[in-house]
Structures are given as C-alpha cells and as structure tokens.
Amino acid sequence: MDKASLQNKIDSQRDLLGGLISKAKSNGIDQLEIFSSFGYSEDISLEKNDLNNCTATEENMFGIRVIESGSQGFITTNHLPSLWESILEARSLARSQTTPDLDLTLPDPRALESRPDQYDASIDSLGLSDLMRIAKESLEWRKEKYPLVSIDSGEMSISKGFKLILSSKGVYGAELGASISASVMGMAIDGDDIGSFDYDSASGNSLNAFQERWQKAFHLFGDKCMGALGAKTISSFKGKILLPPDAVYSFFLGSFIGALNATSIRKGKSKMAGKIGSKVADERLSIWEDPTLNHYSGTTAFDREGQPTTRQSVLKNGVLETYFYNTFEAKKAGLSVSNGFASGGAQSLPGCGPRQLQIEPGVSSKDDFFKLDEKVVYINRISGTSDGPSGDFSGVIKGGFLLDKGEKIPIKEAQVVGNVFEAMNQIEAISKEGELLGESYFVPYILLDGFSITGVQNGE
C-alpha cells in the first residue's frame, strides 16, 4: 500500500459514493452524507521486555447519515458492497425518530483552504523489518540504560490511510495521511520497591523525524520510571504545583476544553456558558486552534462535516473568544455556519471539539521552576476523579516529586484537590519551553499556586 494506490482508492471511492448519492436523490433522499475512513497499518507489539507479535491490518469504515424533516439516522459499516442497503437503513432510522428538530440539516459546501501534504512518500519504503529494528533497538536501550525498568507493553506502527467526505449538498473533501509511531508503558522495579506506571510515545511523518522524537521519548520514559523509585511520604501543605505538558493537558485543561463544547453550553452543563468576551483565566494564558501547521498530525483543511478549518483564537490573555460548534449547534446558537469544530469520524455522528490546540509559551525557563526556594509538588499524573461540569477534581499524585531547594524527591500517598476553573486563575508562570503532544498540541510547563497537598503527617 503506497501513496499512489491510496490516491487511486480515493478517486474510485469518490466515483462510487457520488453514484450512490445520485441514486439516493432519485429515490427521494435529499440529505445524505457519507464519511469514509480508510486505514492500513503494520504493527509490532512488545510485552514483558520482549517482542510479542507482528500484524498487518486494513479497514475501511463508512459513516452514513441521512436527515429527513429534521430527524436523522446514522449507520456505520465496513461492507462496501452493501452501502446502498445501509443508506436505506439510515433513512428508515431517520423516519422512526419522534423528536424532529428543523435545525438539524446537512451543511452547504464552503471553499476549503489548501493545506501542506501530510503524506511523506518516504514512509512507503518502510515495512515490518524497519519496525523490528526499532523494537529491538528500544529493547537494547532498556537493557543497557534502564535494566530496572519493566516494559509492560509497547507498540511500533506504520500507518497509512485517508479520510473522505461527500454529501448530497455538494460537500467534498479528501486527505491522505501517513506516519510511523511508537509507544511504551511500564514501571521500574527494584526488589520490593515498585515505582508507578508511566507511559510515553512519539510519531512522525518521516523516519528521520520519528527516530529523533522516539529516542527522546523512550529515554524520558526510562528516566521517569527510574525517578519514581524510592518514593517517600510527605507532610501536608498548601502551596505550588508544577505541571509538565502531559499533565497540563490531561489534568488541567481537559475539563476546560470540554466546557467549550457547544452542546454542553446549550444544555446548561458548562461553567463557560455566557462567558464569551469575559476573563476566565490568568492573562498569561492564551490558546488557539491551528490546523494549518506543516508536519503536525492534526493538520487538515476540513472537519467531520467537510467544513473549512482555520487558525482561530480560543482564549486570548485569559479572555474567552469562542466555543466549538458543529453545524447543528451553530444553528441552535443563531449562527449561519459552524466554525469548523465538528469532531469525530466514520464511526460517530459529528460532535464538537478541537483537533490541534496550541498554548502560547511564557517567558520563564522551566529549569527555574525546579530551583525555587519554596516547596513545589511536581505532578506527573493523577489517579482519581474529576467532574467535568463543575471542574472539581481530586486524586492521588502518581510519578510525582517534591521539589525543595534544588532537591527532587519522589513522593507517594500524596493527594491533591482543586477546581480546574479556579486553577486557571492560579497560574503563577508559564515556561517558554514546551512539548508537542501527539505531534499536534503544543503545551508548555505551568506553575500554579494555592493548592492543598494532603500527605502523611510527619512523613519521612
């Protein structure tokens, strides 16, 4: 499977699906959308510090949506010969609905901007033998540099594919993509001393880009696992926490981003309702969506509904500037069109969400965060609970450290509680350095103040 054969597959599917849409129109189906997602991958898995399995998989999924008189039916199938039957079934589902909403319509076509080609043809020269070499090299890194680290699982993959959307309204979009990626999960074990689980990954759309990122990611994984050995309990205190990029997104911003989903806004389930133009975070924090960047995995010209995507501000100096709309939610909000945030794929109806957020770097050096004269808890991740609508969270700190006057002490049995929406106003500094998560989201380190850390009293 190479770039040329995938492009031929797109061309043939466009003809086939276009014919089905014409047939649907002649049968009285005026609003039909077909989203096709094709993927081919070669994979090698790791388990218990050894090679485990080699596989090659190929799948083509079709998401078929029919809207009739404000009601919709949706079918997912991977059976190309029976697409017409699936279209008829989706129409039957639409007709069986009893709560129509006339704001539910397919969008009209809009011009799409050109985007950098995210398929590097050099990927086509790679195969399972290359993945085997990468896997063996990774196992050697573990053996030579991190012998106490146990790799519970891992995977190396070469992925290629495309997404394509057509509708009876004239919407059309198609894009190719290819990447090589790897991930690893495990922990350090030194006799009875067992560190906490950790994880890291890397990907790239060329072998050279991938290898540099993967070597960095694997060694960061090893260092984090080893750093979790010898963890100690600490006393409770109230003060600063330091979030690395992974934790910034998963623990800190996840609930905030979810609160900008237009469906949650409309249903009154978001604290961000009615906050456009209001200051909701520290002025140091600015976030924007940018699907135009070259060599980023979330770069795309169109969203789940085939609507154009653009670079746009989400949060500017702490002031909220937009929500995430698909076509239905845009109409419910009184907007003429969506802002290109329809999310999902062939296996789901269009949702609302971003794909490539960027957080503006600050002016501080992250190294300075590790040298403060006061106590700081470095939070790698949290095992606990969070409530999206309220923003409340609590949990046990995993893979964390107490930073105390230059010392970096691994900790255990410490807990943190707080509220995401309040935390956005507790920012003390943002680093100028950061990381590209999933080769898509740029995220810096963030230092926050005023958090309650619950440890073991008189811990040693």
Side-chain angles (χ1 to χ4, degrees):
M1 187 69 64
D2 58 18
K3 187 174 184 179
S5 61
L6 285 170
Q7 186 59 59
N8 289 336
K9 199 171 186 68
I10 286 177
D11 295 339
S12 64
Q13 278 203 10
R14 182 177 186 178
D15 292 340
L16 171 65
L17 301 182
L20 288 171
I21 286 174
S22 296
K23 183 177 180 180
K25 284 184 174 181
S26 67
N27 281 269
I29 303 175
D30 296 324
Q31 294 197 68
L32 168 63
E33 173 194 88
I34 305 176
F35 191 101
S36 173
S37 175
F38 176 83
Y40 171 80
S41 69
E42 296 178 347
D43 310 273
I44 287 181
S45 61
L46 306 178
E47 187 174 322
K48 300 185 186 309
N49 301 324
D50 206 351
L51 297 169
N52 181 41
N53 198 16
C54 298
T55 59
T57 58
E58 178 179 312
E59 186 171 49
N60 198 171
M61 300 297 298
F62 299 89
I64 298 169
R65 183 162 62 131
V66 171
I67 297 178
E68 191 169 289
S69 301
S71 296
Q72 72 179 351
F74 180 74
I75 294 290
T76 295
T77 181
N78 62 358
H79 193 235
L80 187 65
S82 63
L83 284 183
W84 175 246
E85 287 75 13
S86 295
I87 291 170
L88 295 179
E89 186 176 354
R91 180 176 66 174
S92 294
L93 287 173
R95 289 178 169 177
S96 69
Q97 302 302 308
T98 59
T99 56
D101 190 324
L102 294 182
D103 284 326
L104 186 58
T105 61
L106 293 180
D108 293 321
R110 295 158 62 194
L112 304 180
E113 298 177 359
S114 61
R115 292 285 185 270
D117 185 354
Q118 298 306 302
Y119 194 119
D120 190 318
S122 66
I123 290 285
D124 290 337
S125 65
L126 305 178
L128 283 173
S129 61
D130 298 283
L131 294 179
M132 183 70 74
R133 175 184 58 78
I134 293 166
K136 288 182 177 180
E137 184 178 42
S138 302
L139 291 173
E140 282 299 312
W141 289 340
R142 186 208 72 83
K143 183 178 180 180
E144 294 174 3
K145 299 184 178 182
Y146 306 103
L148 297 181
V149 172
S150 175
I151 296 177
D152 185 69
S153 62
E155 187 171 71
M156 287 74 190
S157 302
I158 297 170
S159 304
K160 310 172 185 180
F162 64 79
K163 63 176 183 176
L164 179 155
I165 185 170
L166 290 96
S167 84
S168 56
K169 289 284 195 78
V171 167
Y172 172 74
E175 287 177 341
L176 290 166
S179 68
I180 178 170
S181 62
S183 64
V184 65
M185 178 182 290
M187 68 182 80
I189 303 173
D190 186 9
D192 294 332
D193 187 1
I194 301 176
S196 61
F197 260 104
D198 226 305
Y199 167 89
D200 225 310
S201 64
S203 65
N205 65 351
S206 70
L207 181 59
N208 288 339
F210 163 75
Q211 285 183 316
E212 180 180 349
R213 294 167 183 169
W214 175 235
Q215 184 171 4
K216 178 182 177 182
F218 187 92
H219 287 81
L220 179 61
F221 160 76
D223 290 341
K224 288 189 295 184
C225 288
M226 292 301 297
L229 289 175
K232 300 178 180 180
T233 59
I234 61 172
S235 299
S236 301
F237 74 97
K238 187 170 184 178
K240 293 180 173 59
I241 63 172
L242 174 59
L243 303 181
D246 272 326
V248 168
Y249 184 74
S250 63
F251 147 69
F252 177 52
L253 285 180
S255 293
F256 170 67
I257 297 306
L260 303 185
N261 181 313
T263 302
S264 298
I265 298 292
R266 175 173 57 85
K267 293 183 176 181
K269 296 181 178 180
S270 170
K271 280 200 167 185
M272 292 296 104
K275 298 291 187 179
I276 295 293
S278 300
K279 185 177 181 297
V280 298
D282 187 278
E283 63 183 11
R284 298 177 184 87
L285 188 60
S286 293
I287 305 172
W288 63 91
E289 164 85 344
D290 195 349
T292 71
L293 300 166
N294 197 15
H295 303 311
Y296 280 41
S297 64
T299 293
T300 181
F302 59 92
D303 68 4
R304 168 62 178 81
E305 296 179 307
Q307 298 297 284
T309 61
T310 60
R311 188 185 192 279
Q312 54 190 305
S313 176
V314 176
L315 190 74
K316 181 66 174 177
N317 300 132
V319 176
L320 185 62
E321 298 201 325
T322 194
Y323 298 132
F324 305 138
Y325 293 102
N326 59 20
T327 296
F328 173 72
E329 294 299 345
K331 287 183 177 294
K332 299 305 288 184
L335 305 175
S336 58
V337 294
S338 76
N339 57 352
F341 281 105
S343 61
Q347 300 187 62
S348 66
L349 286 165
C352 301
R355 64 194 54 76
Q356 194 147 272
L357 293 178
Q358 312 297 302
I359 299 179
E360 185 172 22
V363 297
S364 302
S365 169
K366 73 177 179 67
D367 292 338
D368 291 341
F369 296 159
F370 291 83
K371 304 173 184 176
L372 298 176
D373 289 334
E374 54 197 304
K375 290 182 179 180
V376 179
V377 171
Y378 176 98
I379 298 179
N380 189 33
R381 66 183 188 281
I382 293 176
S383 176
T385 61
S386 62
D387 181 71
S390 71
D392 292 332
F393 64 84
S394 64
V396 177
I397 298 168
K398 297 292 186 178
F401 299 89
L402 176 65
L403 308 175
D404 191 4
K405 298 179 181 178
E407 279 195 273
K408 187 178 178 182
I409 305 165
I411 60 175
K412 62 182 179 180
E413 300 177 27
Q415 300 184 50
V416 61
V417 296
N419 181 280
V420 167
F421 303 112
E422 294 175 5
M424 292 179 64
N425 288 286
Q426 295 173 258
I427 295 173
E428 185 167 289
I430 298 176
S431 70
K432 56 188 176 183
E433 307 91 349
E435 295 176 11
L436 195 60
L437 304 181
E439 313 311 325
S440 180
Y441 285 37
F442 179 83
V443 184
Y445 291 71
I446 296 183
L447 181 70
L448 303 102
D449 198 7
F451 281 81
S452 295
I453 306 298
T454 304
V456 176
Q457 203 68 29
N458 299 319
E460 298 179 356

